[in-house]
Amino acid sequence: AMNKAIKLSRCEWLIFMNCGDTFYNNEVLKDVSLVLKKNNEKPDIIYGKTLFRYKSVFLKSIPLPISKIEKEMVFCHQSSFVLSEILKNNLFDLQYKYAADYVMMRKLYFQKKEFLYLDLYISVFNQVEGSTLNNFVRSARERYSVHEKNKSFLAKIKLELYIIRMAIGIIIKRIIPEELSEKIFVNKYSDRIVEYEEK
């Protein structure tokens, strides 16, 4: 679907939003445009900060240094704009269901495309509730496969241990009362929780 949208697009920039995701506020597009004009910037990819929404709780997320994209996704896909011309020549790899956005951005990084970080909140990402354990395992294995050729047997073992640890966490979360689960969540991420009024 994303590739079809890219092929049909007639605009200069593209951003992808999933169901439940929104711009941070009604001024995002104007703010991004003003920054680009003010600094006379002409990047290939623009990215910024994200708020992750878990029910009624909002967690701030600031991108990691772009150089770390060699190993992991450093910003939220929903908080990035890419020149449509670039995407038309670099469609999403359909063999990846969960890591297509990461594979795409990593590919553009190695193509020496210019990434520009803006110190602005771009989107509110709706952390989908009810993700199945099966989907989580597939996602973890898919992200690992991006680097599989350069990974050792030890890295494979670490991946399996990570999956087991996270799977136990998901199972426990489903067993304990929802109220207790939310308290544990809030306590764990207290330093990232922010007040946000939906606009």
Side-chain angles (χ1 to χ4, degrees), residues 3-156:
N3 284 342
K4 288 179 180 179
I6 291 170
K7 293 174 182 178
L8 292 171
S9 68
R10 296 292 181 270
C11 53
E12 183 178 7
W13 294 94
L14 290 176
I15 184 171
F16 289 92
M17 293 282 188
N18 293 324
C19 179
D21 301 329
T22 63
F23 282 114
Y24 178 72
N25 59 33
N26 294 330
E27 305 296 316
V28 168
L29 296 179
K30 183 179 76 173
D31 292 342
V32 171
S33 178
L34 288 174
V35 171
L36 293 179
K37 290 179 179 178
K38 181 179 179 180
N39 298 298
N40 195 30
E41 299 278 5
K42 293 183 178 180
D44 300 307
I45 300 98
I46 302 165
Y47 64 101
K49 298 183 290 187
T50 307
L51 281 188
F52 282 82
R53 177 179 182 171
Y54 296 81
K55 296 184 178 180
S56 60
V57 178
F58 296 88
L59 304 183
K60 61 183 178 180
S61 177
I62 300 175
L64 297 172
I66 193 63
S67 59
K68 292 185 178 294
I69 203 169
E70 294 186 25
K71 295 183 178 181
E72 60 184 309
M73 188 63 165
V74 299
F75 55 81
C76 180
H77 189 208
Q78 283 80 348
S79 289
S80 64
F81 299 86
V82 183
L83 285 173
S84 59
E85 180 182 353
I86 290 176
L87 287 179
K88 288 179 186 295
N89 294 318
N90 295 274
L91 297 176
F92 289 97
D93 190 333
L94 298 183
Q95 70 174 306
Y96 296 99
K97 182 177 181 180
Y98 301 98
D101 55 345
Y102 171 57
V103 172
M104 165 71 72
M105 293 301 178
R106 185 172 183 270
K107 177 182 177 182
L108 297 181
Y109 176 79
F110 282 112
Q111 288 180 2
K112 306 298 183 183
K113 302 301 183 185
E114 183 180 349
F115 286 75
L116 176 66
Y117 168 67
L118 299 184
D119 188 20
L120 299 170
Y121 278 101
I122 303 296
S123 72
V124 178
F125 177 81
N126 185 34
Q127 186 66 26
V128 180
E129 294 293 332
S131 295
T132 66
L133 178 58
N134 189 44
N135 284 347
F136 171 79
V137 172
R138 289 181 180 177
S139 177
R141 294 193 189 286
E142 192 170 283
R143 293 196 305 272
Y144 174 87
S145 72
V146 176
H147 308 282
E148 194 166 16
K149 293 180 180 178
N150 301 315
K151 291 292 186 179
S152 64
F153 178 72
L154 179 59
K156 178 69 172 177

Side-chain angles (χ1 to χ4, degrees), residues 136-182:
F136 171 79
V137 172
R138 289 181 180 177
S139 177
R141 294 193 189 286
E142 192 170 283
R143 293 196 305 272
Y144 174 87
S145 72
V146 176
H147 308 282
E148 194 166 16
K149 293 180 180 178
N150 301 315
K151 291 292 186 179
S152 64
F153 178 72
L154 179 59
K156 178 69 172 177
I157 295 298
K158 288 182 178 179
L159 170 69
E160 299 302 329
L161 291 175
Y162 168 74
I163 290 175
I164 292 172
R165 186 172 70 252
M166 295 304 292
I168 291 174
I170 291 173
I171 293 172
I172 291 176
K173 183 179 178 181
R174 292 177 178 174
I175 294 175
I176 64 176
E178 184 175 348
E179 184 177 337
L180 176 58
S181 176
E182 289 186 6

